[in-house]
Amino acid sequence: MILVATFQDENSPVTWFAIQKIEIEGNLNYVTEAELEAHYSELLGESLLSLSVADALDLARSPEWVESAEVRKVWPNILQVLVHEYTPLAYWRDRQLISTSSAVIRPNQIPDLSLPRLYGPDGTSDVVLEQFGLISQVLAATSLRIFTLTLEPRGAWNVTFTNGIVVKLGREEVLERLQRFIAVYKSDLSGRIDQITSVDARYPHGVAVGWKTIK
């Protein structure tokens, strides 16, 4: 009975191993250590003896910027959490980001980064990201870089380059049309960017150039 009473008072092993501190480790760029500590604070007071590592991992991975996490019990009173953040690749629509691992994330605060902007209907992030990769490969040997890439609801593609030129690529033969535009751009358009409003590359043997009106 003396033994039972001892284990039930405030000096029981459950109390001895109560989590008093949560240590955050990892290279953090988009979420702060203080934000993670606040998110994980519900674990404070839990006993390391009874803490489920699986449940702790679920909580550790739940913040929007966290791609993966590792949890380690450090006896007697510390829980270490190693955090790996998502790396953003592009903006997706208006309030989301796509990571380098193709995940769509929705942080409360959207960082101001020099990233391309991708648009498309609900559920098309994978399709748009794949097309972004293919187009980027075609552009690799040029000075052109994507500012926005848009998949319209009816399936047509439009790209705006960082130099301001808007190109309509349509629904079919997108890469072939892009290559035709690049050929015309290199030979005739690169020196007249400030005069161009848009380029329609949906023609089978060339492109149509929209010119600014000279006043």
Side-chain angles (χ1 to χ4, degrees):
M1 292 182 66
I2 294 175
L3 181 64
V4 171
T6 300
F7 273 74
Q8 289 179 341
D9 70 18
E10 62 181 7
N11 294 315
S12 72
V14 173
T15 304
W16 297 342
F17 298 114
I19 298 171
Q20 297 178 5
K21 183 179 180 181
I22 298 175
E23 294 181 345
I24 310 296
E25 300 180 355
N27 296 320
L28 303 178
N29 296 301
Y30 306 106
V31 65
T32 68
E33 185 173 322
E35 288 171 334
L36 291 177
E37 287 177 346
H39 190 86
Y40 301 152
S41 62
E42 66 182 76
L43 295 175
L44 293 173
E46 295 280 339
S47 172
L48 288 180
L49 287 172
S50 58
L51 179 70
S52 165
V53 173
D55 290 344
L57 276 174
D58 286 342
L59 179 64
R61 290 191 292 250
S62 61
E64 197 66 37
W65 276 110
V66 177
E67 180 173 20
S68 63
E70 301 169 37
V71 173
R72 180 186 174 203
K73 298 179 180 181
V74 181
W75 306 93
N77 306 110
I78 296 174
L79 186 70
Q80 288 181 344
V81 183
L82 175 59
V83 172
H84 303 280
E85 284 183 323
Y86 284 108
T87 301
L89 175 66
Y91 290 104
W92 172 241
R93 304 179 75 173
D94 294 323
R95 293 286 305 167
Q96 300 167 63
L97 291 151
I98 297 181
S99 74
T100 52
S101 58
S102 303
V104 175
I105 57 178
R106 303 167 180 82
N108 291 329
Q109 298 293 326
I110 302 295
D112 185 12
L113 303 171
S114 297
L115 296 175
R117 298 177 179 272
L118 310 182
Y119 297 92
D122 286 339
T124 62
S125 61
D126 287 345
V127 174
V128 177
L129 186 59
E130 180 181 10
Q131 188 72 284
F132 170 76
L134 295 172
I135 291 176
S136 296
Q137 289 178 24
V138 174
L139 297 174
T142 76
S143 62
L144 295 166
R145 294 296 178 266
I146 297 171
F147 180 65
T148 66
L149 176 64
T150 302
L151 173 61
E152 297 179 350
R154 297 183 66 180
W157 295 92
N158 299 317
V159 59
T160 302
F161 296 107
T162 52
N163 62 12
I165 294 180
V166 180
V167 181
K168 298 178 181 180
L169 296 170
R171 291 183 291 180
E172 301 174 355
E173 301 179 344
V174 171
L175 299 182
E176 290 84 350
R177 291 172 176 176
L178 176 63
Q179 288 170 333
R180 278 202 302 273
F181 160 74
I182 291 172
V184 175
Y185 174 80
K186 287 181 176 180
S187 62
D188 299 313
L189 302 180
S190 60
R192 297 187 285 176
I193 295 172
D194 58 346
Q195 303 173 36
I196 300 170
T197 58
S198 63
V199 176
D200 191 337
R202 295 174 293 179
Y203 295 88
H205 302 296
V207 301
V209 180
W211 300 96
K212 294 180 180 178
T213 302
I214 300 177
K215 297 182 179 180

